[in-house]
Amino acid sequence: MAFIAGMVNVASFLIFFSFSSNVTGYFAIFAAEMTKGDYYQVVMVIGWIFLFFAGSFTSNFIVIHFRRRGQYTAHAVPVILEMGCLLMVGLYGQFAYQETLRETEALLAIMFFAMGLQNGLTAGISNFAVKTTHLTGATTDLGILLSMFTKEKFRTNTELVNKAKLIGSTFFAFIAGALTAGFIYPALQFGIFYVVCVLLTLVVLYDVIYVGILRLVLTLRTKRLSPTPPSIPHRTTAQRRALTTPFVSGKDPAREKASAVQPARCEETTVR
Amino acid sequence: MKIKPVWPVYALLILVTLVGFAWVKKHVSGPEQMIVGTWRELSWEYERVNTPADKQRLNDRDTIAQSVKDQLGKHLMIHSAETWKFHPDGTLTLEGPGDVKIIRWKLKGRGHILELEHRDHTVEHYNLTALTNEQMILNFDSDMQVKGIAKLTFHR
């Protein structure tokens, strides 16, 4: 996701001369334009910041309210929305863009919303730990972590090391995305958004593919290790008969009997 | 469903914002409208230079001498243009002493980048630092002779 954000950010800068994956600078621009009295710019900047906010709101709204319909769906919908937004930018840019200021503002607005969606999703599901569309917080965190690693007790702290690895990978991905966009932009122009959409499709399908492969591997491994699945305990004929015998009293004698006499194979499986 | 009470608030927020934007857009004139008209060049200045030595080379004078301006603008399509006429159809007439050029103009970003496109598709970008009814200020990075940011000021 950080790779995608890096690509989108550079694409928006190269095409529209404005960044779209972060809003910190726009707060400064808002203040500067306000003091200059350029209210058109003020309104525009507020609009973009609002759309970034709205994207983040929408994303987390979907995640928390649609979780009942499945976590996968709840996480996939914001990514699909983001894909739709960026595809719209790509298609409009390639086939209808007349380079007017109004179009530029509108396309940037869509991109801000898309980046808000992405940031809201990653930050929401990671409990505010991961933000993929900008590196300000990550830079701060990395600075803190590296200073902590000057002490041995922190260097051996697995949690901190993992956090540093996560931030490092976010950095790497964002920069790689930005560089990729910089290199391919001259050739693809607005087509760069199609590449972004393909990558987002992979993100959406990642869980499906990953879980599918994982299931396949597990099934194959289980089959190789034991012909009988370990989840089904092996029972003797007497035990099976006892289980099927209807009971009249409050206690279930068959179950008691079955649990009392555990087959050796089952014990072995449990120990493993 | 539990989420029902939240939807109206969300929808209302979006509606209010969109209406607000539409209202403001209608009442505040944008840079694309404001730039249209005739602008006369007032001055070329170095607003920022890279080193104090560069500043010294300019003899501590902000205004760029004609010779420096000639050097600076040698590779720019706006060179020697004293009057700029922005037309609403996206064309720009650059009028200089004995020279008239017609090129195309566009605004990019949030209206803070002026893009000029020559007939041979050469493109130049300028920062539109200020734009009011009376004054327009353009900035551009220069690496000619004295590195720094040059400032062009225009009046109606």
Side-chain angles (χ1 to χ4, degrees):
Chain A
M1 293 297 264
F3 185 89
I4 290 162
M7 279 188 85
V8 172
N9 203 31
V10 167
S12 77
F13 183 73
L14 292 174
I15 300 171
F16 305 118
F17 295 89
S18 287
F19 293 113
S20 63
S21 77
N22 57 76
V23 289
T24 317
Y26 288 100
F27 280 100
I29 291 168
F30 161 76
E33 298 297 348
M34 196 77 173
T35 51
K36 279 187 344 196
D38 193 342
Y39 298 113
Y40 184 88
Q41 302 270 350
V42 170
V43 171
M44 213 52 250
V45 169
I46 290 175
W48 287 344
I49 293 171
F50 174 79
L51 280 159
F52 193 86
F53 158 84
S56 184
F57 177 92
T58 308
S59 193
N60 205 52
F61 184 89
I62 292 166
V63 169
I64 61 171
H65 287 285
F66 292 86
R67 199 169 273 169
R68 281 182 184 179
R69 299 185 186 186
Q71 201 168 30
Y72 175 75
T73 315
H75 291 175
V77 171
V79 182
I80 293 165
L81 276 178
E82 182 188 349
M83 206 193 309
C85 290
L86 295 176
L87 187 64
M88 204 190 299
V89 173
L91 287 170
Y92 188 90
Q94 194 173 1
F95 299 110
Y97 187 46
Q98 298 293 312
E99 296 190 58
T100 64
L101 188 58
R102 189 164 289 183
E103 286 172 306
T104 303
E105 288 164 353
L107 292 175
L108 269 167
I110 296 169
M111 288 167 79
F112 271 100
F113 183 74
M115 288 294 99
L117 279 169
Q118 178 175 320
N119 214 34
L121 177 70
T122 52
I125 61 179
S126 67
N127 200 20
F128 302 99
V130 182
K131 292 182 182 77
T132 52
T133 63
H134 57 92
L135 298 178
T136 317
T139 311
T140 314
D141 292 353
L142 199 63
I144 293 167
L145 282 168
L146 290 182
S147 76
M148 286 173 89
F149 290 157
T150 54
K151 281 197 161 189
E152 198 182 349
K153 67 170 181 178
F154 293 124
R155 277 201 298 273
T156 50
N157 187 322
T158 322
E159 199 183 330
L160 291 178
V161 171
N162 286 341
K163 192 166 173 62
K165 279 181 187 169
L166 176 70
I167 294 171
S169 59
T170 309
F171 259 96
F172 176 77
F174 193 92
I175 293 164
L179 286 172
T180 308
F183 282 122
I184 65 173
Y185 170 73
L188 295 181
Q189 302 281 318
F190 274 96
I192 206 165
F193 291 100
Y194 305 144
V195 178
V196 170
C197 287
V198 170
L199 293 174
L200 282 169
T201 311
L202 290 177
V203 170
V204 173
L205 294 177
Y206 173 78
D207 273 352
V208 178
I209 296 166
Y210 181 70
V211 171
I213 291 169
L214 208 68
R215 262 187 201 159
L216 189 74
V217 169
L218 277 174
T219 315
L220 288 173
R221 199 178 283 177
T222 314
K223 272 184 184 170
R224 204 180 299 162
L225 281 174
S226 60
T228 324
S231 55
I232 304 164
H234 180 262
R235 291 192 174 98
T236 59
T237 319
Q239 281 172 333
R240 253 183 269 129
R241 266 185 204 154
L243 279 168
T244 47
T245 314
F247 60 97
V248 210
S249 66
K251 280 186 180 177
D252 184 353
R255 279 186 195 278
E256 272 181 14
K257 202 176 175 183
S259 59
V261 189
Q262 286 289 336
R265 191 186 164 83
C266 233
E267 277 170 18
E268 264 180 38
T269 317
T270 318
V271 171
R272 270 182 202 163
Chain B
M1 224 170 148
K2 272 185 184 176
I3 59 165
K4 266 184 184 172
V6 184
W7 281 109
V9 179
Y10 189 31
L12 191 72
L13 189 70
I14 291 171
L15 193 71
V16 167
T17 312
L18 290 176
V19 171
F21 270 107
W23 186 85
V24 173
K25 275 262 185 186
K26 200 178 171 185
H27 290 82
V28 178
S29 52
E32 267 186 336
Q33 291 82 46
M34 286 174 76
I35 204 168
V36 171
T38 304
W39 297 90
R40 283 175 216 295
E41 190 185 295
L42 193 72
S43 67
W44 281 50
E45 296 161 46
Y46 260 115
E47 202 168 40
R48 284 187 288 276
V49 288
N50 277 359
T51 63
D54 289 338
K55 188 79 176 174
Q56 190 61 40
R57 286 171 66 190
L58 288 168
N59 299 322
D60 295 326
R61 280 168 52 205
D62 277 334
T63 308
I64 295 169
Q66 186 59 43
S67 56
V68 181
K69 179 184 158 182
D70 289 346
Q71 283 261 337
L72 199 66
K74 203 156 60 179
H75 303 288
L76 299 172
M77 64 178 84
I78 58 165
H79 175 58
S80 78
E82 287 167 0
T83 306
W84 297 33
K85 286 180 183 169
F86 286 90
H87 305 286
D89 63 353
T91 54
L92 168 63
T93 312
L94 298 170
E95 291 178 3
D99 183 29
V100 176
K101 278 185 204 166
I102 297 174
I103 58 174
R104 294 200 67 80
W105 68 274
K106 285 163 200 160
L107 288 180
K108 293 285 180 82
R110 43 178 215 284
H112 71 298
I113 302 286
L114 174 65
E115 185 181 282
L116 302 181
E117 190 183 354
H118 209 257
R119 281 187 176 173
D120 62 2
H121 300 295
T122 315
V123 175
E124 288 173 4
H125 294 107
Y126 301 86
N127 279 313
L128 188 54
T129 318
L131 181 64
T132 62
N133 285 327
E134 295 81 34
Q135 193 188 43
M136 174 172 75
I137 297 173
L138 297 178
N139 284 97
F140 66 95
D141 283 310
S142 161
D143 56 358
M144 296 292 294
Q145 205 177 61
V146 181
K147 286 186 176 180
I149 298 171
K151 176 180 162 187
L152 284 78
T153 309
F154 297 83
H155 275 192
R156 285 263 191 211

